[in-house]
Amino acid sequence: MTGLLADDHALAAWTATEAGRLLLEVRGRGLEGRALKDAGDQIAHDLLMRLLAEHRPGDAVLSEEGKDDKARLTADRVWIVDPLDGTREFSEPPRDDWAVHVALWVRSSAVAGDLVAGAVALPALGATYDTGRPPVVPASTARRPRLVVSRTRPPEFVKALAEEIGAELVPMGSAGAKAMSVVRDVSDAYVHAGGQYEWDSAAPVAVARAAGLFTSRVDGSPLVYNQDDVSLPDLVICRPELSDVILEFIREHGTD
């Protein structure tokens, strides 16, 4: 395993999968509610920090559950992780729409960088999607487009978008689960605005790109990572053939 983990794609997949296995174990300990949420967040964070420190000791890490060390802004390699994406769903067994995100950002010039590796584990489904073995997105099996949305806070503009393009809404939990639903042909597009952070989308975007899906901000601009302000409040992940109609609708109607 040690030799294999010299590959960043393999390391992302392995660490996400291991954190997912630990979270399944935590889920079986009989904890409930806030106690289960807190235990999952902390234990998965601690494991990922330990594994990354062991296998990539010179790299910086940005984790939802950790202190934001601004030294990452001058680092050449930064892991962006969400140890438990979809804490609410994790705390409601047997829900499976929660995830573990591990992504790697690498500086490509003095001022710019990009995601080069990533993995999204869906532990309750026994699956990990990663950039080392890019998933093949099957042809859509739906008669009309499917837009995946938050099961608790679906944005009004996405409802209007669905009406405009004749789509159905697919409610789901975590950002990672929603993004991978496009990869899995459970949905055709994930459109979000209203608040997220880099760790919510970095790994899902890395995997979606590797799978050949379209990714951008809602205004069509690139998703940029390892910024001083880690807020990255909106995104589009979709089948390429839907990108123009989605972005055109947003240009005309906005997201308010």
Side-chain angles (χ1 to χ4, degrees), residues 164-185:
E164 176 77 12
I165 67 175
E168 64 176 302
L169 298 179
V170 180
M172 196 172 293
S174 83
K178 287 196 279 286
M180 292 307 98
S181 75
V182 185
V183 171
R184 297 169 50 223
D185 187 34

Side-chain angles (χ1 to χ4, degrees), residues 10 15 21 31 36 54 88 114 118-120 137-138 140 154 157 209 226 230 245 252:
T15 53
R21 287 175 181 163
L31 298 172
L36 179 55
E54 177 182 352
R88 179 200 295 258
D114 207 351
V120 177
V137 180
S140 178
F157 86 93
R209 287 177 181 172
N226 195 33
V230 297
V245 67
E252 290 185 8

Side-chain angles (χ1 to χ4, degrees), residues 83-183:
L84 175 50
D85 180 59
T87 309
R88 179 200 295 258
E89 288 72 29
F90 170 75
S91 71
E92 298 175 2
R95 294 198 68 95
D96 57 25
D97 48 345
W98 51 278
V100 179
H101 300 176
V102 178
L104 175 62
W105 176 96
V106 171
R107 188 178 305 281
S108 55
S109 70
V111 295
D114 207 351
L115 303 172
V116 300
V120 177
L122 301 178
L125 293 178
T128 298
Y129 300 88
D130 68 269
T131 52
R133 301 161 298 175
V136 176
V137 180
S140 178
T141 57
R143 290 179 295 177
R144 58 188 181 123
R146 299 156 296 178
L147 303 182
V148 64
V149 295
S150 169
R151 72 183 182 102
T152 56
R153 301 181 303 278
E156 289 299 321
F157 86 93
V158 177
K159 295 179 183 178
L161 170 61
E163 292 180 6
E164 176 77 12
I165 67 175
E168 64 176 302
L169 298 179
V170 180
M172 196 172 293
S174 83
K178 287 196 279 286
M180 292 307 98
S181 75
V182 185
V183 171

Side-chain angles (χ1 to χ4, degrees), residues 31-47:
L31 298 172
E32 296 181 350
R34 174 51 59 187
L36 179 55
K37 293 177 182 179
D38 290 346
D41 282 334
Q42 192 61 52
I43 289 172
H45 168 76
D46 290 346
L47 176 65

